[in-house]
């Protein structure tokens, strides 16, 4: 039988524990929020140590994502992809900023090659990053894949501003916590 449908879900705690009306007025509060998503995902055994969220230009939460690769048996179910998918469904458009609004992806770790590629097609205007790819690869078993040498410049050419190292140590701590907790058991 050929499957004609794919169904990806975020953990139940996302709906019950997150107030969708919360505003985040600064970069640190947004990054602290996504680092918290990543940590909770590991603590509850619902996926890997990555969290992401999309905010509108006013700091309102549009969507969240956590890594769901192993629980969903889907290599595409990275935190950023889950955030893109849920934002696109909520806003009913595949290019988030086609309405002229401003959208920010905040992610606890530098996007891998897959999430990097998806980010400029998803219609975001800014990417805020916690841990770096080298943090991910040194603290976990994950391989982030190849990126262009000037990946930041490539995003900026496409209208996506990049801010790195926001609360980097806090985001690194989540990766280390994941590894100390048994890593790939999730």
């Amino acid at each position: 039988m050929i499957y004609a449908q794919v169904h990806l879900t975020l953990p139940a705690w996302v709906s019950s524990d997150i107030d969708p009306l919360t505003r985040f007025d600064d970069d640190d509060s947004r990054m602290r929020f996504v680092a918290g998503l990543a940590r909770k995902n590991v603590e509850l055994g619902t996926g890997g140590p990555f969290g992401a969220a999309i905010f509108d230009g006013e700091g309102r939460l549009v969507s969240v994502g956590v890594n769901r690769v192993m629980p969903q048996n889907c290599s595409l179910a990275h935190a950023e992809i889950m955030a893109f998918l849920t934002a696109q469904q909520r806003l009913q458009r595949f290019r988030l900023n086609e309405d002229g609004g401003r959208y920010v992806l905040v992610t606890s770790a530098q996007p891998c090659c897959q999430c990097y590629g998806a980010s400029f097609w998803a219609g975001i205007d800014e990417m805020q990053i916690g841990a770096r790819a080298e943090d991910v690869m040194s603290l976990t078993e994950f391989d982030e894949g190849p990126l262009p040498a000037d990946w930041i410049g490539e995003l900026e050419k496409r209208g996506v501003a990049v801010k790195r190292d926001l609360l980097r140590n806090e985001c690194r701590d989540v990766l280390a916590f994941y590894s100390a907790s048994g890593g790939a058991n999730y």
Side-chain angles (χ1 to χ4, degrees):
M1 176 174 161
I2 300 295
Y3 287 96
Q5 189 176 136
V6 175
H7 185 76
L8 296 175
T9 60
L10 291 169
W13 60 262
V14 168
S15 295
S16 62
D17 294 4
I18 297 172
D19 179 358
L21 301 178
T22 304
R23 282 182 58 133
F24 298 83
D25 294 323
D26 59 63
D27 297 347
D28 283 355
S29 67
R30 288 187 284 269
M31 186 58 69
R32 195 162 283 112
F33 173 72
V34 299
L37 293 173
R39 179 172 286 276
K40 187 165 193 164
N41 206 36
V42 174
E43 287 172 345
L44 297 178
T46 54
F50 303 99
I54 296 176
F55 300 89
D56 70 12
E58 305 299 315
R60 290 183 295 253
L61 183 63
V62 175
S63 69
V64 302
V66 292
N67 180 283
R68 298 285 286 159
V69 170
M70 292 182 75
Q72 300 281 276
N73 293 308
C74 180
S75 62
L76 302 175
H78 291 197
E80 298 92 339
I81 299 298
M82 298 298 283
F84 290 144
L85 291 169
T86 54
Q88 290 162 341
Q89 290 304 296
R90 179 177 180 187
L91 300 177
Q92 288 297 290
R93 54 183 178 263
F94 64 88
R95 193 151 177 86
L96 301 176
N97 61 3
E98 76 179 8
D99 69 344
R102 184 172 186 283
Y103 294 89
V104 178
L105 168 69
V106 180
T107 179
S108 64
Q110 179 180 319
C112 68
C113 57
Q114 167 192 263
C115 298
Y116 164 80
S119 63
F120 50 84
W121 289 314
I124 59 169
D125 302 287
E126 184 175 331
M127 180 185 295
Q128 298 181 356
I129 302 165
R132 291 184 177 210
E134 56 262 31
D135 300 330
V136 173
M137 293 188 290
S138 69
L139 294 168
T140 72
E141 74 281 3
F142 299 111
D143 178 352
E144 297 299 272
L147 290 175
D150 184 23
W151 63 271
I152 292 174
E154 291 296 327
L155 285 172
E156 290 174 344
K157 277 190 229 175
R158 290 166 173 82
V160 180
V162 176
K163 291 183 180 178
R164 292 174 68 182
D165 299 335
L166 297 170
L167 303 180
R168 181 178 179 189
N169 288 333
E170 287 183 34
C171 294
R172 285 176 49 87
D173 288 346
V174 174
L175 298 169
F177 173 69
Y178 168 80
S179 292
S181 301
N185 294 328
Y186 304 112

